[in-house]
Amino acid sequence: MNDEERTHPSKVADDRVSLTSFLDYQRATLAMKCADLTSEQLKQKAIPTSGLTLLGLVRHAASVERSWFRWIMNAEDVKMPWPGKVDGTFAEFHVEDADVGEAFEVWREECTRARAVASFFNSLDDTVDFRGETISLRYVLTHMIEEYARHNGHADLLREAIDGVVGE
């Protein structure tokens, strides 16, 4: 894994730049955790007690990006890329027959679109109404950082179990 591909957030930036750069840093961390692995390794359930895979995390990240930024914040009529549930869990986590290239392409596209949606808002305090709730851009960016950070912790364990590679 190569940390040089990630841009470290500024230690003196304003709130908006801090939040968007930390989110991009977390996105880059997930990409780094998946780097240089085969399709089989990305689909590997590396921890016996868990069904999580690195590819499942990438597909989940794509769904979460689409949901928060396009559906909720931008009010787009979008469908989830891997809709439904299988055995009680979201379909994006079922990767046995998944196309690795497609998953990464969808995820990267959703990240790009999310950045565009976020840039549309003038302020972190700008809000949208969604199903009776008021949601600010600040909340969504903060939530997305938390979402990636939690799953990047999972990715750390998965990657180490797959090939022994460790790192931030």
Side-chain angles (χ1 to χ4, degrees):
M1 292 186 300
N2 185 349
D3 183 48
E4 295 172 13
E5 296 175 16
R6 298 184 300 170
T7 301
H8 293 266
S10 169
K11 294 177 176 67
V12 295
D14 65 24
D15 287 352
R16 186 179 193 123
V17 172
S18 288
L19 289 172
T20 56
S21 63
F22 266 101
L23 179 52
D24 277 337
Y25 184 80
Q26 292 297 327
R27 289 167 173 148
T29 298
L30 181 58
M32 185 180 79
K33 295 296 176 184
C34 297
D36 303 320
L37 293 176
T38 66
S39 294
E40 291 75 26
Q41 288 172 313
L42 289 166
K43 293 179 182 182
Q44 184 177 338
K45 294 176 183 174
I47 299 171
T49 58
S50 173
L52 282 180
T53 65
L54 287 169
L55 187 60
L57 292 176
V58 169
R59 287 165 45 118
H60 177 64
S63 294
V64 172
E65 294 269 3
R66 182 177 289 189
S67 177
W68 278 105
F69 288 99
R70 294 178 62 199
W71 185 40
I72 295 170
M73 295 303 289
N74 207 38
E76 291 180 44
D77 183 21
V78 292
K79 305 290 184 228
M80 290 300 101
W82 302 280
K85 290 190 175 187
V86 178
D87 298 328
T89 59
F90 291 109
E92 65 248 28
F93 290 109
H94 294 271
V95 299
E96 296 80 15
D97 298 322
D99 182 311
V100 171
E102 174 200 36
F104 278 90
E105 182 179 326
V106 169
W107 176 55
R108 287 185 190 106
E109 181 178 304
E110 292 304 328
C111 291
T112 298
R113 288 182 177 201
R115 286 182 197 98
V117 169
S119 71
F120 173 78
F121 290 88
N122 292 321
S123 167
L124 292 172
D125 298 320
D126 287 352
T127 62
V128 298
D129 291 320
F130 182 77
R131 295 186 175 173
E133 287 190 277
T134 302
I135 302 171
S136 72
L137 177 60
R138 180 186 310 278
Y139 174 84
V140 171
L141 291 171
T142 303
H143 173 72
M144 290 299 296
I145 293 166
E146 179 273 333
E147 180 85 13
Y148 273 98
R150 180 168 28 94
H151 289 311
N152 283 339
H154 299 136
D156 280 334
L157 295 172
L158 291 168
R159 181 63 190 255
E160 184 175 3
I162 289 168
D163 67 357
V165 172
V166 297
E168 186 182 329

